[in-house]
Amino acid sequence: LLECSADPLVSSTADTPVSRSLHCFLCCTVAVASAEPTGVGPALRVAVTVIRSAGGEQITPGGSASSPRCLYEVLCGFLEALCRVAPDFCGTGRKPMTPPPPSLVAAALLLRSLARSCASAEIEGAGAGKIHDLVASSPGLRRIDGLAR
């Protein structure tokens, strides 16, 4: 799973103080979800707010290391880990999820928004296919992404 001393959630994540702090924060969020199942919803809501806020932080003169691609990849890694520790909350477990928790819908909307930002920024780039691959390769992410439709 995730741990603060581990490598970044994904290899292309920018190695900046903000991205390292975001990684550590999300590791702690997964730990909270694992230790206290009733705290998953509030923890996810805060994580979504923090990730959304990180997108507005300029941390390098030439642009933001919290680019949509970086944030998208971090969010995918975080949601993957969350699905592993809280499968019933994420709708990937045995319990049916009706209706989905509002914080999970918020995460799905952020996932979709960041994917669109990445796609529009890289419409001609070689990395555009990777955006779809992250969600397509994960049943948990496909389930969460489907909540935004």
Side-chain angles (χ1 to χ4, degrees):
L1 288 179
L2 300 173
E3 55 184 67
C4 289
S5 62
D7 291 331
L9 299 170
V10 288
S11 60
S12 65
T13 301
D15 188 26
T16 64
V18 170
S19 65
R20 286 190 302 269
S21 296
L22 184 59
H23 173 78
C24 188
F25 169 75
L26 294 174
C27 290
C28 293
T29 303
V30 170
V32 165
S34 178
E36 185 57 49
T38 61
V40 177
L44 179 58
R45 174 51 87 182
V46 171
V48 166
T49 300
V50 168
I51 293 169
R52 189 175 286 127
S53 297
E57 295 297 318
Q58 293 291 325
I59 55 176
T60 62
S64 173
S66 300
S67 67
R69 170 168 290 291
C70 174
L71 293 175
Y72 177 77
E73 291 176 354
V74 167
L75 180 60
C76 285
F78 165 68
L79 291 173
E80 275 280 343
L82 192 67
C83 285
R84 280 188 228 122
V85 299
D88 290 337
F89 179 86
C90 294
T92 57
R94 295 180 184 179
K95 281 178 153 180
M97 182 180 61
T98 316
S103 58
L104 193 58
V105 173
L109 292 171
L110 178 59
L111 185 67
R112 179 63 56 94
S113 174
L114 289 172
R116 285 184 184 147
S117 295
C118 291
S120 66
E122 300 174 356
I123 196 90
E124 311 237 345
K130 185 177 178 189
I131 293 165
H132 179 68
D133 291 345
L134 289 174
V135 171
S137 64
S138 165
L141 289 178
R142 281 195 311 268
R143 169 72 178 105
I144 292 170
D145 183 61
L147 298 175
R149 293 188 177 175

